[in-house]
């Protein structure tokens, strides 16, 4: 019996099924990565007898079916990587990070996710359809949420799920890009935690104006609202976002002139405004921005 704690077989072109005796021979494993291979079939329940596991990586394989219920026995498990498989059910009581991109979840976002109260990172890209539930607001420890490249929409035109996410006071990254949200950008965006650093909502069929309250999010580093139907003018409150590095409003219906307050954003190095109805001249101060797209 070995006391090995760290085992990484990632991206080694291994195939077949996972040997069922791994955990019987290596009971003290804390880190196990089998990602990037060609394993197939179901995930053996014996793999989940490694009760000391804290990190388990199974992404980029061909696993199918449901995760065995025995995962509930892994009380020390904090990070679970399951991206790019053909899984359709999973249970996890104590996880802090869950990566489920590119699986086979059909219908709405799985309800069991909302029982994982310790989650800080959740990635569900390229998975689901249906409404985005307001229960995301129950995940009080959530720091990063990625729902991009799905077929998700809002249950109300006001994008009510955004109101629930304003309860996540630790949230730093929100990515709902490439979903047919079909609503309008509400003022509630300004109620997000001031720790929010990334807000990506491109190509979501969002309409309405840019709320002046967005200037309250003074930790923002990146804003991508491109490819929507936003109208009105560019809010001058953006000049308060002194940490902003990336700003995209490309492909909207914005009008008026480019506000000079954008010249005060010392950290800004990418600005995308192409495909709007803007008028007037381009401020000369933009000569210091590395990437301009008008």
């Amino acid at each position: 019996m070995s006391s090995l704690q760290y085992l990484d077989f990632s991206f080694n072109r291994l195939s077949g099924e996972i040997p069922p005796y791994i955990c019987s021979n290596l009971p003290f494993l804390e880190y196990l990565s089998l990602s990037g291979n060609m394993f197939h079939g179901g995930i053996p329940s014996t793999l989940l007898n490694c009760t000391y596991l804290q990190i388990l990586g199974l992404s980029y394989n061909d696993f199918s079916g449901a995760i065995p219920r025995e995962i509930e026995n892994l009380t020390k498990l904090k990070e679970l990587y399951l991206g790019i498989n053909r899984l359709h059910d999973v249970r996890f009581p104590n996880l802090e990070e869950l990566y489920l991109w590119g699986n086979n979840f059909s219908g709405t976002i799985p309800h069991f996710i909302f029982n994982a109260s310790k989650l800080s990172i959740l990635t569900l890209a390229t998975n689901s359809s249906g409404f985005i539930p307001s229960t995301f607001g129950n995940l009080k420890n959530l720091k990063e949420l990625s729902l991009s490249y799905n077929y998700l929409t809002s249950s109300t035109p006001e994008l009510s799920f955004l109101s629930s996410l304003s309860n996540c006071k630790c949230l730093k990254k929100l990515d709902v890009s490439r979903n047919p949200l079909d609503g309008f950008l509400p003022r509630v965006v300004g109620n997000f935690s001031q720790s929010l650093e990334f807000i990506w909502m491109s190509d979501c069929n969002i309409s309405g104006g840019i709320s002046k309250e967005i200037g309250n999010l003074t930790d923002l580093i990146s804003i991508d609202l491109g490819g929507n139907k936003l109208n009105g003018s560019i809010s001058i409150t953006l000049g308060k976002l002194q940490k902003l590095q990336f700003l995209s409003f490309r492909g909207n219906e914005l009008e008026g002139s480019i506000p000079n307050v954008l010249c005060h954003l010392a950290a800004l190095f990418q600005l995308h405004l192409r495909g709007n109805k803007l008028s007037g001249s381009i401020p000369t101060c933009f000569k210091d921005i590395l990437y301009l797209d008008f």
Side-chain angles (χ1 to χ4, degrees):
M1 183 179 294
S2 172
S3 59
L4 187 70
Q5 296 179 335
Y6 185 103
L7 183 60
D8 189 347
F9 282 131
S10 301
F11 298 95
N12 275 294
R13 301 180 63 82
L14 302 174
S15 61
E17 298 183 355
I18 297 177
Y21 49 78
I22 285 183
C23 286
S24 59
N25 292 336
L26 303 171
F28 298 106
L29 273 180
E30 296 181 2
Y31 177 103
L32 173 61
S33 180
L34 300 171
S35 296
N37 288 292
M38 294 179 283
F39 290 116
H40 63 263
I43 297 175
S45 59
T46 51
L47 180 64
L48 305 174
N49 291 330
C50 294
T51 55
Y52 287 89
L53 270 182
Q54 298 182 30
I55 300 174
L56 176 59
L58 301 173
S59 298
Y60 294 98
N61 280 286
D62 193 30
F63 293 117
S64 59
I67 296 294
R69 291 186 61 91
E70 287 84 354
I71 197 171
E72 297 178 3
N73 297 330
L74 302 183
T75 58
K76 298 182 183 297
L77 192 65
K78 295 181 179 180
E79 300 179 26
L80 179 58
Y81 297 81
L82 297 173
I84 313 299
N85 283 288
R86 291 185 293 124
L87 301 166
H88 60 76
D89 194 10
V90 61
R91 299 176 184 274
F92 40 85
N94 298 307
L95 285 181
E96 297 177 8
E97 300 182 20
L98 177 60
Y99 301 85
L100 288 172
W101 68 91
N103 273 285
N104 193 31
F105 295 113
S106 59
T108 57
I109 293 172
H111 64 87
F112 47 78
I113 286 173
F114 305 104
N115 296 325
S117 59
K118 297 180 181 179
L119 271 183
S120 62
I121 298 177
L122 175 60
T123 298
L124 277 169
T126 320
N127 264 303
S128 300
S129 60
F131 293 137
I132 301 177
S134 296
T135 40
F136 275 118
N138 297 336
L139 302 177
K140 303 295 186 182
N141 296 309
L142 202 60
K143 294 181 179 179
E144 298 184 15
L145 175 62
S146 177
L147 302 174
S148 58
Y149 290 87
N150 284 294
Y151 297 94
L152 297 167
T153 188
S154 174
S155 59
T156 66
E158 296 83 10
L159 306 184
S160 56
F161 72 93
L162 290 178
S163 297
S164 69
L165 286 172
S166 65
N167 295 323
C168 301
K169 301 305 181 184
C170 300
L171 192 65
K172 290 182 176 294
K173 177 180 177 180
L174 173 63
D175 185 1
V176 293
S177 301
R178 299 296 179 97
N179 283 286
L181 296 181
D182 298 323
F184 58 86
L185 194 64
R187 296 178 62 183
V188 73
V189 169
N191 294 333
F192 280 129
S193 167
Q194 290 193 0
S195 64
L196 190 68
E197 297 177 352
F198 301 86
I199 181 166
W200 297 334
M201 301 179 69
S202 63
D203 302 290
C204 290
N205 200 31
I206 298 172
S207 57
I210 300 171
S211 168
K212 66 179 182 180
E213 283 79 11
I214 200 169
N216 297 335
L217 306 177
T218 52
D219 277 350
L220 276 174
I221 294 173
S222 177
I223 302 172
D224 190 351
L225 292 170
N228 288 294
K229 298 179 180 178
L230 298 175
N231 54 38
S233 60
I234 298 175
S235 175
I236 62 173
T237 61
L238 290 169
K240 297 164 62 177
L241 306 181
Q242 291 301 308
K243 298 181 181 179
L244 197 64
Q245 300 176 19
F246 178 97
L247 176 61
S248 176
F249 292 136
R250 53 97 188 154
N252 280 283
E253 301 172 5
L254 298 172
E255 299 177 323
S257 60
I258 301 171
N260 286 326
V261 292
L262 297 185
C263 296
H264 303 155
L265 302 178
L268 189 66
F269 68 88
Q270 282 202 49
L271 178 60
H272 301 258
L273 296 175
R274 181 187 297 272
N276 284 281
K277 302 176 182 179
L278 298 169
S279 58
S281 60
I282 298 174
T284 57
C285 63
F286 287 162
K287 66 181 185 299
D288 295 325
I289 295 179
L290 294 179
Y291 191 98
L292 285 173
D293 182 20
F294 289 101

